[in-house]
Amino acid sequence: MGVLLKKPDNVVGATWPAIAVGVFVAFGGVLFGYDTGTIGGILAMQYWRDLFSTGYRDKDGNLNVTSSQQSQIVSILSAGTFFGALTAAPFGDLMGRRMGLIASNGVFTIGVILQTVATKIPIFTAGRFFAGYGVGLISALIPLYQSETAPKWIRGSIVGCYQWAITIGLLLAAIVNNATQNRQDTGSYRIPIAVQFAWSIIMVGGLIVLPETPRYCIKRGRPEKAAHALSRLRRLDATHPALVEELAEIEANHQYEMSLGSASYLECFKGTIGKRTFTGCALQGLQQLTGVNFIFYYGTNYFKSAGFGNPFIITLITSLVNVFSTLPGLYMVEKWGRRNLLLFGAIGMFVCQYIVAITGTIEEKKYGEGPIQNQSANNALIAFVCIYIFFFACSWGPVAWVVTGEMFPLKVRAKCLSMTTASNWLLNWAIAYSTPYMVEAGPGNANLRSKVFFIWGTFCLICIGFVWAFIYETKGLSLEQVDELYGKVSKAWKSKGFVPTVSFQDVADVGTDARRQSLADLEAGAVRKKSVVQTEGATEKM
């Protein structure tokens, strides 16, 4: 196996158009990352605190918002994203993947407008909810669009670009916040928020000219449009044998899945699809429970309370690490595979989280409620937080989106993906809401401070066992072959050596009731039928 990712010799047509489309659509991750990244810096701006405070003063006597208000402001975005992700299925199934993304940007823009004009907490919070609703829709529809258009040999890297775009959004948020933090007017928070209009305009402008996904067209019974869309993505004539064969296999697989049951929400919890739904929801939930958004939501305030001179700069550094550490993950997801990369990341995160927890807790005992004065300890904390971000960014960050984007059959893909994404946002909301109570001092608060990293580290340990037991290796398989994998292999740890052998077109020719037979039985029947046909043909020639 070579070092570089190389197009297989047996793949005909161009692949750069599909790669370019997938990478551009990943730009929606900038909206996601930037929107979630701005709030930490805005909450730390003294002008914003003075303007939005309802009279509460912190321990230093400065006007501020309460822990409850802070939780509400931060977590309401995640609440919006949760409901947005859940309703992404009707957007994607009824309007289409492409038009659904365009409509999602419209919802997001309403939220940005409300936040920009706000001078009081209620309007600001309402804007956060609508922006979150739009981000939730976008976060489910982008991996769906990418998975359904990307060539199988590089699909993991393309879908992983979505996470890379999220990290770029977080970095841009840190840069803009750092540039406006000292302004003593509404521009301190309005400029970072209003910049989001640009991201939405860029994305909608591109989506207007992009094709719908061929698989969505097949799902809606529009084979001519599917052929046209795939022709644009592969740069082949719609009548080219390879293109006709690919579309025929997609349609045959869809018909096979429909023969097993309807495309209802109930179907998402039955049989192997139910197993996949559980795996996807748990994977996305555990991605949040690794604690990464503690760093990006509350990192500025945490580093400030820990005694760092310029917490905005520390946040900028962690954002830079996040961006550049995602790049090797885009390569490793196709070279190492999904399982190996997730295991590598979980082990690394577990070690780093416990080192940060132990070091921080020991130093905090020395200095009581005051900031840590030991510069060496502070440097160690920053170093291992950055190493932790590296392990997350190259593994669980992108691969969670890759795995959930490719594991479901076409008939329920939008529904299942919306639920797995909603799981991500549900845990995101829970962490955003509970973190101020967990780490800060004051009545009713746990005041865990650095001890909170023990919690994240323990969940990273759980991640290791989860990956081994539940994550199937899907590297190099088409979306239809992933269906075959789940239909034939019962245990995740046995999936690595799987070789696809089923042609769903041949299975469809057997003409038996798919509900009463396993996929392996149907394949055997197809082989027998083909053998009989070949024998009869040979007899006629004689």
Side-chain angles (χ1 to χ4, degrees):
M1 181 179 289
V3 175
L4 299 177
L5 296 177
K6 185 181 178 183
K7 174 184 169 183
D9 294 334
N10 62 347
V11 175
V12 299
T15 54
W16 68 262
I19 294 173
V21 165
V23 171
F24 174 80
V25 171
F27 182 82
V30 173
L31 278 74
F32 177 164
Y34 188 91
D35 197 45
T36 56
T38 51
I39 194 61
I42 288 173
L43 289 175
M45 293 176 183
Q46 192 57 54
Y47 183 87
W48 185 91
R49 292 178 173 186
D50 292 342
L51 182 63
F52 283 82
S53 175
T54 54
Y56 170 77
R57 292 185 181 272
D58 58 26
K59 61 183 180 181
D60 297 322
N62 297 319
L63 285 171
N64 204 340
V65 293
T66 65
S67 294
S68 176
Q69 290 169 330
Q70 189 176 141
S71 291
Q72 173 189 331
I73 291 167
V74 174
S75 64
I76 196 67
L77 178 112
S78 301
T81 52
F82 171 74
F83 290 108
L86 276 183
T87 53
F91 271 73
D93 279 342
L94 298 178
M95 300 178 68
R97 297 3 178 180
R98 186 178 68 92
M99 287 304 300
L101 279 168
I102 291 174
S104 303
N105 274 269
V107 177
F108 174 77
T109 301
I110 293 171
V112 174
I113 291 171
L114 289 174
Q115 289 179 84
T116 303
V117 302
T119 56
K120 300 292 182 183
I121 288 177
I123 298 298
F124 193 82
T125 303
R128 293 273 296 165
F129 177 82
F130 281 105
Y133 193 90
V135 168
L137 291 167
I138 290 167
S139 65
L141 292 173
I142 285 177
L144 180 62
Y145 186 98
Q146 291 176 307
S147 295
E148 292 188 348
T149 55
K152 65 181 182 180
W153 63 274
I154 199 171
R155 184 178 61 244
S157 298
I158 291 174
V159 179
C161 284
Y162 174 52
Q163 176 66 23
W164 187 42
I166 293 172
T167 67
I168 292 172
L170 288 165
L171 173 62
L172 292 172
I175 292 171
V176 177
N177 279 342
N178 192 53
T180 66
Q181 61 168 308
N182 294 319
R183 289 180 65 114
Q184 295 305 307
D185 56 26
T186 57
S188 60
Y189 71 92
R190 281 178 170 162
I191 291 173
I193 292 170
V195 164
Q196 295 173 102
F197 287 118
W199 314 144
S200 190
I201 290 169
I202 291 170
M203 188 174 182
V204 170
L207 285 167
I208 289 172
V209 299
L210 293 185
E212 183 54 86
T213 76
R215 286 176 172 87
Y216 173 75
C217 296
I218 290 292
K219 177 181 171 67
R220 302 296 290 179
R222 301 166 185 165
E224 298 83 6
K225 288 188 176 181
H228 177 68
L230 192 59
S231 174
R232 288 182 64 186
L233 292 169
R234 299 287 187 269
R235 288 298 189 268
L236 291 172
D237 188 85
T239 59
H240 191 283
L243 193 145
V244 171
E245 174 69 18
E246 184 174 353
L247 281 176
E249 186 67 7
I250 292 171
E251 185 161 11
N253 171 257
H254 179 56
Q255 293 303 322
Y256 165 75
E257 287 294 338
M258 290 300 294
S259 72
L260 298 178
S262 65
S264 66
Y265 273 98
L266 185 61
E267 195 69 21
C268 299
F269 301 98
K270 292 181 178 180
T272 65
I273 300 178
K275 179 180 180 179
R276 288 182 252 184
T277 301
F278 166 77
T279 301
C281 289
L283 178 65
Q284 289 283 15
L286 285 170
Q287 187 208 50
Q288 290 300 307
L289 290 169
T290 61
V292 67
N293 278 326
F294 169 77
I295 302 297
F296 294 110
Y297 280 166
Y298 293 104
T300 305
N301 282 342
Y302 170 76
F303 293 128
K304 192 173 184 178
S305 64
F308 292 92
N310 192 336
F312 279 91
I313 295 298
I314 301 299
T315 302
L316 185 59
I317 291 171
T318 57
S319 295
L320 280 167
V321 173
N322 198 22
V323 170
F324 289 104
S325 298
T326 304
L327 291 172
L330 303 182
Y331 170 82
M332 291 188 290
V333 70
E334 295 297 353
K335 285 297 182 181
W336 290 11
R338 283 56 160 160
R339 276 176 63 87
N340 289 340
L341 188 51
L342 286 171
L343 285 170
F344 167 76
I347 293 168
M349 289 189 294
F350 164 71
V351 172
C352 291
Q353 294 278 26
Y354 264 75
I355 290 175
V356 172
I358 293 168
T359 304
T361 300
I362 290 172
E363 292 302 315
E364 285 166 358
K365 283 183 178 179
K366 293 179 183 177
Y367 298 102
E369 293 298 319
I372 297 172
Q373 302 294 331
N374 185 338
Q375 190 58 45
S376 297
N378 280 338
N379 292 341
L381 289 174
I382 288 297
F384 279 98
V385 164
C386 289
I387 295 171
Y388 156 76
I389 292 172
F390 163 78
F391 280 110
F392 175 86
C394 73
S395 60
W396 280 74
V399 180
W401 299 107
V402 172
V403 171
T404 54
E406 64 191 12
M407 68 193 303
F408 300 109
L410 177 58
K411 67 175 181 179
V412 290
R413 186 171 294 138
K415 293 181 177 68
C416 291
L417 195 53
S418 75
M419 286 187 281
T420 61
T421 307
S423 300
N424 181 296
W425 287 114
L426 180 62
L427 269 297
N428 187 300
W429 168 82
I431 291 168
Y433 185 82
S434 62
T435 294
Y437 299 107
M438 292 167 65
V439 299
E440 292 183 4
N445 294 342
N447 195 24
L448 291 176
R449 301 177 72 187
S450 293
K451 294 186 187 72
V452 75
F453 287 93
F454 283 117
I455 297 174
W456 313 137
T458 301
F459 277 111
C460 291
L461 184 61
I462 293 171
C463 288
I464 298 171
F466 172 79
V467 171
W468 184 83
F470 290 101
I471 299 299
Y472 282 66
E473 183 52 69
T474 51
K475 181 187 75 169
L477 301 178
S478 71
L479 298 183
E480 291 66 44
Q481 289 167 344
V482 172
D483 270 352
E484 180 186 348
L485 168 66
Y486 275 93
K488 286 183 172 181
V489 181
S490 60
K491 306 295 183 184
W493 56 89
K494 296 180 180 179
S495 63
K496 191 172 181 180
F498 173 76
V499 177
T501 56
V502 167
S503 165
F504 284 97
Q505 297 173 70
D506 292 340
V507 167
D509 291 340
V510 174
T512 57
D513 187 356
R515 290 176 186 245
R516 297 183 181 180
Q517 298 188 54
S518 69
L519 184 57
D521 291 337
L522 289 169
E523 180 185 16
V527 171
R528 286 194 298 270
K529 182 174 180 179
K530 185 178 289 188
S531 177
V532 169
V533 170
Q534 290 174 345
T535 302
E536 290 176 348
T539 303
E540 289 176 1
K541 289 180 180 179
M542 293 175 63

